[in-house]
Amino acid sequence: MTTEMTDPKFVSLFNGSFRLKIISILHSKSKISNCQNWKTLALALFQIYNINMNNRCLLCTQRAAVACCLGCRMRDRSTIFNTLLALLGKASITNNYYGQIKVICQQIETLEWLLTPIQFTPVAHFDSKVHKVDQEAKLYLQQTSLDVQNMIPIEVAADGNCLYNSIMCLSGSTALTPSELR
């Protein structure tokens, strides 16, 4: 790697993954002899790939070439979705809420790495080691029609995310979070 690649101006101008792409292009083409040449090349790459460093990361608002910076990509899914929900919540109370929410959703749609399809395979058997029977719901089930009385109600956290907690419990997946399902 040339000394220009470790120059603090270069490091601050180009964030993680984009900097690595530039470095690999430079190494594959030729060594850059002076600082002015790599700046010229970098600006040309920005124009060729239509990259705008005036974008802001959705999650931390730092300057980024894409909707989410490399640092925020390293966060766990729960934190990312909680931050996105908070961002949408703030946008919903602005005067131009529709426009704000629309822009945020368009930016979220560009985060393909985050928007993976949810695999849902419902749990078919009750496991007393994993699930706890909801005794109150069991009383209600006894008062219903015969076709649902054989079901076993499972207790979930009553934290305002009951529906989402139920889906997570039925899926058996530990990767899902209530904020992601919201």
Side-chain angles (χ1 to χ4, degrees):
M1 186 182 305
T2 62
T3 56
E4 293 88 22
M5 299 304 148
T6 56
D7 181 298
K9 291 177 186 173
F10 180 80
V11 172
S12 66
L13 183 60
F14 304 109
N15 69 356
S17 61
F18 185 68
R19 185 172 65 238
L20 294 176
K21 288 179 189 175
I22 291 175
I23 291 169
S24 66
I25 290 169
L26 294 176
H27 283 294
S28 68
K29 300 294 181 195
S30 66
K31 298 280 183 191
I32 301 300
S33 59
N34 65 43
C35 193
Q36 187 58 41
N37 285 345
W38 71 257
K39 285 181 182 175
T40 304
L41 178 62
L43 291 173
L45 287 170
F46 270 102
Q47 292 170 351
I48 291 169
Y49 293 107
N50 195 23
I51 295 168
N52 181 359
M53 282 299 288
N54 291 324
N55 291 333
R56 297 276 177 193
C57 173
L58 269 171
L59 305 172
C60 70
T61 68
Q62 289 185 0
R63 288 178 60 162
V66 291
C68 183
C69 70
L70 186 62
C72 289
R73 283 184 181 215
M74 300 303 166
R75 294 180 180 180
D76 64 280
R77 291 180 69 84
S78 180
T79 303
I80 291 171
F81 280 103
N82 283 332
T83 305
L84 291 174
L85 278 175
L87 185 64
L88 289 166
K90 287 179 187 175
S92 71
I93 58 173
T94 63
N95 289 336
N96 181 22
Y97 63 91
Y98 177 78
Q100 293 278 330
I101 292 173
K102 183 177 178 182
V103 168
I104 293 168
C105 289
Q106 288 171 339
Q107 290 174 315
I108 291 171
E109 286 176 344
T110 66
L111 306 176
E112 293 175 11
W113 55 271
L114 184 64
L115 303 177
T116 57
I118 295 174
Q119 301 296 321
F120 183 75
T121 308
V123 175
H125 302 285
F126 177 77
D127 184 355
S128 61
K129 295 175 189 166
V130 177
H131 306 108
K132 183 178 177 185
V133 176
D134 185 335
Q135 295 300 330
E136 189 173 339
K138 191 173 183 177
L139 293 172
Y140 285 111
L141 269 178
Q142 291 172 353
Q143 298 172 16
T144 62
S145 62
L146 294 175
D147 59 338
V148 294
Q149 285 186 5
N150 64 338
M151 294 183 176
I152 302 170
I154 298 172
E155 195 172 285
V156 295
D159 61 358
N161 291 312
C162 301
L163 174 64
Y164 308 108
N165 291 332
S166 297
I167 293 169
M168 290 169 27
C169 186
L170 283 174
S171 74
S173 172
T174 57
L176 290 174
T177 63
S179 58
E180 183 172 358
L181 292 173
R182 280 187 183 268

